[in-house]
Amino acid sequence: MDFIRSFGLEKRESPWNHLEPFQRAALALELTWAALSGLLFIFVVFRLFKIQVDFTPRGPYILLSLVAFALTIGDALKAVQLREDIDVPKWYKVVTASGILKTFAQVFGYAVLLWLTHTRGQAFSGSRPGLSSPIVARTWKRMADWGLASVTFIYIVALSAYQTTQNLDYMRNIGNHSTSEFEDYQRFVKISKKLRHVSIVLLLLLAINVVASLLALWFAQRGAKFTDLVVTRLLITGAPFVLPFAAMWLFYDIWDSNSIEASIKASLADVIIEGVCQIGIIASVASTIDVHADTDPSGPSSFLNQASSSPHKEA
């Protein structure tokens, strides 16, 4: 037995044995989402090299690969923060890192969709020189979209860093705080809730902007008898995941419960909705790579030639 202990081969208790059944289910789902997003990351990276660069820029898909990678690491870190043997300072740091990575995946997952609407809008404008450019193809719209995405991400990261710093400072001396220090911490909690409202508003605006941009481009193309396989696919398979994802944050910002059991169940619902929506968005955008990768700009299967030879084309 001493020999076994010397090599660390004795049976050890799992650091996740303390979890409730709902928490175990959430842990299993987080690891499942991490595995799926990891597979999507590998798929996107391998398909990138088959895209015709002269026809479709790789930029949106490079960003998509970063989104998938960030989601993979963020979900994996969720398993670490549920360990029983992790101390409070490390727990806060892991939670912050996981939150930042998952925020990056959400915000820039939306940004990828917007970027693709920009590129498809420009392709549409180039093929119909006699028509005015759709809103999504205009410079001010592109700048506004990237500005909103950047501000949203920076604001949420700054808020997360501020909350983590304040919580760690308070936890280091817990039990030894004066009345004034405790009151200061309570004020911090109230201010944090108000600041969180701003982040929810920014996420909702970004999500609404994504859906509105896709719809605006689709209607503009439809009015010109123009068929765009990429926009159609994103609208059907990607847009349905955008608003529910953002609405989930609004629900948890409003909903409040003092019941631990209710909070655990709500956390499981959070993991399910968040995972399904994020994987759905990444998979939707990743599916459009094949449309580009299998397209020869000079051949009859070209995207623009397909659109121009569509039976909807005007005589």
Side-chain angles (χ1 to χ4, degrees):
M1 193 67 180
D2 292 337
F3 173 79
I4 293 176
R5 285 199 188 97
S6 65
F7 284 92
L9 299 177
E10 72 276 9
K11 186 177 180 180
R12 297 180 180 178
E13 186 178 353
S14 170
W16 293 280
N17 282 343
H18 68 291
L19 298 178
E20 298 292 333
F22 280 102
Q23 291 176 308
R24 289 174 184 267
L27 173 62
L29 284 171
E30 291 285 7
L31 294 176
T32 301
W33 303 143
L36 289 175
S37 55
L39 290 174
L40 285 170
F41 166 73
I42 295 171
F43 171 80
V44 172
V45 170
F46 274 95
R47 295 294 291 176
L48 270 175
F49 299 101
K50 296 187 178 182
I51 295 177
Q52 298 286 346
V53 181
D54 294 336
F55 185 57
T56 300
R58 289 177 178 166
Y61 300 103
I62 293 174
L63 181 57
L64 180 67
S65 68
L66 295 177
V67 166
F69 181 76
L71 183 60
T72 302
I73 304 302
D75 282 332
L77 286 176
K78 293 281 282 188
V80 176
Q81 74 186 55
L82 290 173
R83 289 176 64 99
E84 186 178 25
D85 56 351
I86 188 170
D87 57 40
V88 173
K90 287 182 181 178
W91 183 84
Y92 271 113
K93 292 175 182 178
V94 171
V95 169
T96 302
S98 175
I100 290 173
L101 288 170
K102 297 189 74 149
T103 298
F104 177 89
Q106 180 180 8
V107 172
F108 288 100
Y110 291 167
V112 170
L113 289 168
L114 288 170
W115 197 347
L116 283 172
T117 63
H118 300 159
T119 60
R120 302 325 306 158
Q122 289 173 327
F124 170 59
S125 298
S127 66
R128 296 291 190 275
L131 298 177
S132 60
S133 298
I135 293 177
V136 295
R138 297 177 185 176
T139 303
W140 67 264
K141 178 63 166 63
R142 297 199 301 271
M143 294 176 63
D145 289 344
W146 282 110
L148 179 58
S150 301
V151 168
T152 301
F153 179 68
I154 292 171
Y155 179 86
I156 295 176
V157 169
L159 177 59
S160 178
Y162 166 69
Q163 291 175 328
T164 300
T165 302
Q166 293 295 323
N167 283 320
L168 283 175
D169 288 343
Y170 183 79
M171 294 300 295
R172 286 192 186 99
N173 297 314
I174 192 167
N176 298 318
H177 291 290
S178 64
T179 303
S180 61
E181 289 174 329
F182 178 75
E183 291 175 350
D184 288 342
Y185 183 75
Q186 292 300 311
R187 279 194 293 270
F188 153 72
V189 172
K190 292 179 181 179
I191 292 172
S192 292
K193 288 182 178 179
K194 293 179 181 179
L195 293 175
R196 179 177 168 81
H197 296 332
V198 178
S199 65
I200 301 301
V201 170
L202 289 172
L203 285 172
L204 281 172
L205 286 175
L206 188 59
I208 293 170
N209 183 34
V210 170
V211 176
S213 297
L214 283 169
L215 284 171
L217 180 56
W218 185 78
F219 278 114
Q221 292 174 339
R222 186 180 180 186
K225 311 299 182 186
F226 188 91
T227 303
D228 189 327
L229 301 178
V230 174
V231 173
T232 302
R233 185 173 297 185
L234 291 177
L235 192 59
I236 295 174
T237 63
F241 294 109
V242 173
L243 285 177
F245 191 10
M248 177 194 72
W249 291 102
L250 177 62
F251 170 77
Y252 284 111
D253 192 52
I254 297 172
W255 181 77
D256 188 17
S257 174
N258 295 323
S259 169
I260 296 177
E261 183 179 357
S263 297
I264 291 175
K265 291 180 180 179
S267 178
L268 177 60
D270 174 20
V271 171
I272 294 172
I273 296 171
E274 182 179 5
V276 169
C277 290
Q278 287 200 306
I279 294 297
I281 291 171
I282 295 173
S284 172
V285 179
S287 71
T288 64
I289 296 180
D290 287 332
V291 176
H292 296 310
D294 298 332
T295 297
D296 178 7
S298 61
S301 63
S302 133
F303 166 82
L304 293 178
N305 287 336
Q306 279 182 357
S308 300
S309 61
S310 167
H312 298 293
K313 185 175 181 287
E314 294 178 336

